[in-house]
Amino acid sequence: MTESQVGMAQGDGSPGIGLRGALVDIGRCQLLSLAALAVAGAGALVIGALLLLPLGIGFLLLPPAAVALRRISDRYRDRAARWTGTVISPPRPLPSRSTPPENPTGRHQQARALLGDHGFWHDLRWAWAEPATGALLAVVPLALVEYGLFGAAVQPFVWRLLGDGNWYAFIPVDSTPTMLAALLLGIGFIAAGLKLAPATLRVHARWSRRLLAAPHTTELVRRIEHLAGSRADILDVQAAELRRIERDLHDGAQARLVALGMTLAEATRLLDHDLAAARVLLHEVRATSQRALQDLRELVHGVLPPILADRGLGDAVRSLALDSHLDVRIETALPGRLPAPVESAGYFAVAELLANAAKHSGAPEVHIRLSHTDGALRATVTDEGRGGADPDGSGLRGVRRRLDPFDGTLVLHSPPGGPTTATLEIPCASSSPKTSSSSGTG
């Protein structure tokens, strides 16, 4: 999976917050520990099919076993994304049957194709590692909470019945003070388990990504496909831009210059016998030349705004805000000038997002933040509007096409009812000392 993509933010992509969130994370740890049984079962089924290959029956068992294992691994990829926001690139789909299911030859061909599929072996490697690593990792916070419950909720009622030799952790529970100490220690174990659960889920997701991510060759193929697609998009955008410039020149400045020439010719003809009329025409020539000059300036502004070229992205976005009917608050934290292509892509992407907010959000105010951190330009456009933005709308598709050549990303979070937050990132490095005057909030 390439990183250049536009999508909705993951629904619950961050660990839970507060006690309720911690309890949810504990439930997720419980689910992971139980799901490991299904993983082990699917892995054992695949191994059994592989061992039966010499007898022939393995060719019949291997395809459905591989499909079952892939379904389980896909569920783990989905959980990692929803629970922790960790995206695990899936492998290519498993080889499918090219003949009807009842055809044994087709089954044999599918099984042989599976044996040569890197994604299948990745799934199998993960199936053997997950019960011994991921599941045990998920059990740690569970064990803390359950052992803590025994100390906090059970020991106070049973310590008299258990008599001598009743220990809780390192505490001999044989009196009321030691029972209270066990109770407090149990509460501590519960708190530690709840605190550890979100971190455990994140570690488990990172570990799963190491094992479940698509093979390197698959990533390379996807990368090539993405670059080929980006190149085609760039060519399409360039062709469309040339057509727009040609049309604007033909209908604007060129038409005015033609009219200007005809008016000048008429004024020249009138100079000899009607000086007043010639003077009027010359005034028209002057006005027409000014309008032609304004057309050319607007055309240049559409290609590369002069303020962007002269003063950088921060001031250019500030000028966008001045032209908008919305109340736009801008916060910039840019260390200096960025590469010109990056500034241009960021400027027009922010302009499109601001235009979308003005057209569709219904919000009176928009907040734009520009920053450069970890080697990437980040721009966030937030409005308090009605939300429900379509990530596949034409405007956002245009933003995506601008970001694709830079391996940029755009994440849109726009639940119905709002607010809407669009965050774009473009990998780049700052190229020169700071020249923008727009740092700060305005």
Side-chain angles (χ1 to χ4, degrees):
M1 176 180 286
T2 65
E3 295 298 331
S4 177
Q5 53 188 286
V6 175
M8 299 294 291
Q10 300 296 340
D12 52 350
S14 58
I17 299 175
L19 179 59
R20 183 174 177 275
L23 291 175
V24 170
D25 289 338
I26 283 291
R28 290 167 174 173
C29 289
Q30 179 73 69
L31 179 59
L32 285 177
S33 63
L34 295 176
L37 298 176
V39 175
L45 192 62
V46 171
I47 292 295
L50 291 173
L51 294 175
L52 292 174
L53 284 177
L55 302 179
I57 191 172
F59 287 98
L60 303 178
L61 296 178
L62 185 57
V67 169
L69 179 58
R70 175 58 59 85
R71 285 176 181 166
I72 294 175
S73 67
D74 284 343
R75 288 197 188 116
Y76 269 73
R77 294 185 184 92
D78 178 64
R79 286 170 186 154
R82 287 189 293 108
W83 292 355
T84 68
T86 302
V87 178
I88 303 176
S89 59
R92 289 185 175 276
L94 292 172
S96 58
R97 268 194 298 261
S98 58
T99 58
E102 62 274 13
N103 188 335
T105 303
R107 295 174 185 172
H108 285 209
Q109 291 175 345
Q110 186 184 13
R112 293 191 186 94
L114 282 171
L115 296 177
D117 185 76
H118 289 178
F120 164 71
W121 292 107
H122 265 62
D123 285 350
L124 185 58
R125 180 187 63 176
W126 164 78
W128 277 93
E130 170 64 18
T133 55
L136 289 180
L137 181 66
V139 162
V140 173
L142 275 176
L144 288 172
V145 170
E146 291 173 0
Y147 192 59
L149 287 173
F150 176 71
V154 179
Q155 282 285 356
F157 303 101
V158 302
W159 70 274
R160 295 179 186 277
L161 302 176
L162 296 178
D164 295 338
N166 176 29
W167 285 71
Y168 182 72
F170 51 86
I171 301 175
V173 186
D174 52 8
S175 64
T176 299
T178 56
M179 180 273 292
L180 293 176
L183 187 149
L184 293 176
L185 184 60
I187 293 175
F189 280 137
I190 294 173
L194 294 176
K195 186 73 174 176
L196 191 60
T200 300
L201 290 176
R202 290 193 295 270
V203 172
H204 182 274
R206 287 197 289 269
W207 170 250
S208 298
R209 183 168 58 185
R210 290 181 65 87
L211 295 178
L212 278 177
H216 184 60
T217 53
T218 302
E219 293 288 4
L220 286 178
V221 171
R222 286 176 175 161
R223 179 68 176 158
I224 292 172
E225 293 173 348
H226 172 70
L227 291 176
S230 297
R231 185 179 62 179
D233 286 344
I234 292 172
L235 294 176
D236 290 343
V237 170
Q238 286 181 338
E241 190 67 6
L242 285 175
R243 288 194 297 271
R244 183 188 69 81
I245 293 173
E246 181 185 10
R247 185 173 60 252
D248 290 349
L249 282 173
H250 181 271
D251 298 342
Q254 180 179 338
R256 295 192 192 283
L257 290 174
V258 170
L260 185 147
M262 295 175 63
T263 306
L264 270 177
E266 180 65 15
T268 303
R269 189 181 64 79
L270 292 174
L271 279 176
D272 295 334
H273 54 86
D274 191 347
L275 192 57
R279 185 179 295 110
V280 171
L281 290 178
L282 287 175
H283 283 300
E284 290 183 9
V285 166
R286 180 181 179 185
T288 302
S289 67
Q290 290 176 343
R291 288 196 293 272
L293 182 60
Q294 181 62 30
D295 287 344
L296 289 174
R297 285 174 175 164
E298 291 176 356
L299 184 62
V300 171
H301 189 275
V303 176
L304 181 65
I307 190 172
L308 178 62
D310 296 339
R311 303 179 64 177
L313 182 60
D315 284 343
V317 172
R318 186 178 290 273
S319 75
L320 277 178
L322 293 176
D323 294 336
S324 175
H325 70 273
L326 300 176
D327 182 10
V328 183
R329 293 177 56 80
I330 301 175
E331 184 179 352
T332 65
L334 298 174
R337 294 299 300 268
L338 302 174
V342 173
E343 286 192 334
S344 179
Y347 171 82
F348 286 107
V350 170
E352 181 64 34
L353 295 175
L354 184 59
N356 284 347
K359 291 178 184 176
H360 308 298
S361 72
E365 181 179 305
V366 174
H367 183 262
I368 299 175
R369 174 174 172 76
L370 303 173
S371 63
H372 182 271
T373 55
D374 299 329
L377 167 67
R378 169 176 289 189
T380 303
V381 180
T382 304
D383 67 68
E384 300 291 337
R386 59 179 67 93
D390 180 9
D392 296 323
S394 59
L396 293 177
R397 284 203 308 271
V399 174
R400 174 176 44 192
R401 295 173 71 179
R402 287 190 181 278
L403 302 183
D404 273 348
F406 303 93
D407 273 350
T409 60
L410 174 64
V411 176
L412 179 70
H413 183 73
S414 183
T420 295
T421 300
T423 303
L424 65 90
E425 287 189 353
I426 305 176
C428 66
S430 178
S431 61
S432 65
K434 181 175 180 178
T435 58
S436 171
S437 63
S438 62
S439 292
T441 302

